[in-house]
Amino acid sequence: MEDLEEAEDGWFFDSLTKYQDLHMYQLEGPANVLEWTSPQTVCVAGQHGNSSQILELQLPLKLLVEVNKGLCAERDFRVTCGAFTDAPVSGLKHVTGTRCVVTSGGQSSDLQLWDLSEEAGGSIKSTGSVPGVTRHSGGGNIKMAVRPCMPEVVHGAQSDDVVLSSLTTGKTLSHHVLAPAAELLASLHFVSQDVVLAACFNGSVYVMDTRASGPAQVHSQTAGDQWWTAVSAGSDLSSCELIQLSGSGLAVIWDLRSPPASKRHAQLDVQSISSDSEHVHVSWAPALDNTISVSGFGGNILIYDSSNWGAEPHHVRPQFEHRGHMVSNGLTTPHSVMVTAHIWHTVRPRTLLSAASDGSAHLWDWISQSATKESSDPH
């Protein structure tokens, strides 16, 4: 017990030099989904007893003010609106420019539509549903991506049944068979107004043009492990990079314009994967070059600088490690608490929001130790 208290005290003391901001919040249950609805607000969704809860939270005012932070006493999140639903929520996407969110989850492949209240303390109201894919049999969660600047969503659970639907009318706009064999989808990403990347757990990555009914183009296939894929920010397919992360911690970065020999590799310092692979997340930082984050392999979030990764895999250590979900609960074993989700802030370069299986939610702005050393070096 004394060792745990010393570890906790040591982490809080270190946090004074490692974080620009650190806010801890306790939800009533674990959040499995995090999604920004604006630079100041975020939707969280997760299990709450026998039902699911969806909340929109306003960020702590202390984080949002740029000057005289010490004069701002408001350090907590504030609930702007919320709702309960009997169906599980495994996915949630915000429709840009609106107060609408779309959710997925449970045995049904249908999508649920919700309107966020404009009034503080109001309710999130269900406004309808969108018919799902036909071949969904409960195997794998439905994946979604909202089309940029349009109320349309691409969704599906398997590579042989992906649909583009209108959120306004609920009608199916196009149906796509990316591969004749059913491969479980790990994620869907719009990389332009019309082009979608569909990544499968077996490592296959398909390029799908929503305007075409022909077969999708497959660019990568890596056998023998489970893989997660993230796409860097870009205005079109040619300006995006992909990172694929395996269950054993092997990371591969590549883009669709370059030959396979140009791929960059690294072996990440991660623990064994948790029992729930849906909690594994790999993300590109939207406002920091060559920076990625990884969670779901334990109770920590790991941040890596990929600028020096090479053609051959080599072990790399994280640039930063957020251990707050474990240490703040006095927990030290690898899977005593699991990070269930994390996201980068849309405009604040080093700010992330993370959630864990104990219901904790942390908002943190980390300080680069390499930048600190450079600024303190007189030479």
Side-chain angles (χ1 to χ4, degrees):
M1 186 66 176
E2 185 175 343
D3 291 341
L4 290 176
E5 290 178 355
E6 289 181 359
E8 184 175 350
D9 291 343
W11 180 80
F12 278 109
F13 180 78
D14 289 342
S15 70
L16 298 176
T17 58
K18 291 184 176 181
Y19 297 90
Q20 184 71 31
D21 284 288
L22 176 60
H23 302 270
M24 299 183 180
Y25 189 72
Q26 190 65 35
L27 302 169
E28 294 186 12
N32 299 320
V33 183
L34 305 171
E35 173 82 354
W36 297 111
T37 51
S38 77
Q40 297 82 33
T41 53
V42 63
C43 258
V44 303
Q47 198 70 17
H48 182 82
N50 295 325
S51 61
S52 295
Q53 186 176 30
I54 306 171
L55 295 173
E56 186 185 44
L57 305 176
Q58 184 181 65
L59 300 190
L61 295 179
K62 191 175 180 69
L63 180 80
L64 301 177
V65 297
E66 297 299 330
V67 295
N68 296 326
K69 286 180 176 286
L71 300 179
C72 181
E74 183 57 63
R75 293 183 54 88
D76 290 333
F77 291 86
R78 183 169 62 85
V79 177
T80 60
C81 53
F84 286 97
T85 172
D86 292 334
V89 176
S90 59
L92 186 151
K93 297 294 181 181
H94 175 238
V95 182
T96 305
T98 73
R99 293 288 290 165
C100 173
V101 296
V102 54
T103 63
S104 64
Q107 295 299 310
S108 172
S109 65
D110 292 353
L111 308 181
Q112 305 302 315
L113 303 179
W114 306 83
D115 269 351
L116 306 176
S117 174
E118 296 283 358
E119 300 179 2
S123 298
I124 300 175
K125 296 181 179 179
S126 175
T127 58
S129 62
V130 173
V133 294
T134 58
R135 295 189 179 94
H136 184 242
S137 59
N141 289 332
I142 295 292
K143 308 302 179 185
M144 300 182 294
V146 175
R147 196 170 197 165
C149 306
M150 294 185 70
E152 297 176 1
V153 61
V154 61
H155 52 114
Q158 301 172 167
S159 59
D160 62 341
D161 197 9
V162 178
V163 170
L164 177 70
S165 299
S166 168
L167 296 176
T168 304
T169 65
K171 294 183 178 180
T172 297
L173 302 176
S174 59
H175 179 264
H176 303 265
V177 178
L178 308 184
E183 303 168 4
L184 287 180
L185 292 175
S187 55
L188 293 168
H189 312 267
F190 267 101
V191 293
S192 72
Q193 188 69 19
D194 300 303
V195 177
V196 175
L197 286 187
C200 299
F201 279 117
N202 68 354
S204 300
V205 176
Y206 296 92
V207 179
M208 179 186 109
D209 191 325
T210 59
R211 300 163 295 183
S213 57
Q217 184 178 9
V218 59
H219 277 261
S220 174
Q221 186 162 352
T222 308
D225 211 336
Q226 194 170 24
W227 295 82
W228 296 263
T229 302
V231 181
S232 67
S235 58
D236 54 41
L237 191 63
S238 64
S239 61
C240 295
E241 278 193 314
L242 286 75
I243 181 168
Q244 289 186 281
L245 175 67
S246 77
S248 61
L250 176 64
V252 184
I253 292 178
W254 56 289
D255 65 51
L256 302 179
R257 302 163 298 171
S258 303
S262 65
K263 293 181 178 180
R264 295 182 284 144
H265 301 75
Q267 180 63 48
L268 305 190
D269 186 19
V270 297
Q271 301 167 352
S272 60
I273 190 172
S274 71
S275 58
D276 190 348
S277 60
E278 291 290 343
H279 288 162
V280 174
H281 292 86
V282 55
S283 302
W284 287 96
L288 286 177
D289 292 338
N290 303 308
T291 304
I292 64 166
S293 55
V294 173
S295 68
F297 289 85
N300 302 335
I301 299 97
L302 308 174
I303 296 175
Y304 291 89
D305 179 1
S306 65
S307 59
N308 63 348
W309 294 6
E312 297 296 328
H314 64 284
H315 281 82
V316 296
R317 295 188 60 81
Q319 182 183 17
F320 190 88
E321 183 175 4
H322 178 63
R323 300 184 296 117
H325 291 286
M326 286 182 58
V327 179
S328 61
N329 286 280
L331 303 171
T332 57
T333 56
H335 298 304
S336 52
V337 63
M338 294 299 304
V339 173
T340 53
H342 81 270
I343 51 172
W344 292 84
H345 195 273
T346 55
V347 295
R348 296 176 63 93
R350 300 182 189 277
T351 298
L352 294 92
L353 177 66
S354 55
S357 56
D358 62 345
S360 59
H362 291 181
L363 184 68
W364 41 285
D365 191 316
W366 59 285
I367 298 173
S368 170
Q369 299 304 304
S370 59
T372 302
K373 291 179 181 178
E374 291 174 3
S375 62
S376 62
D377 189 345
H379 303 289

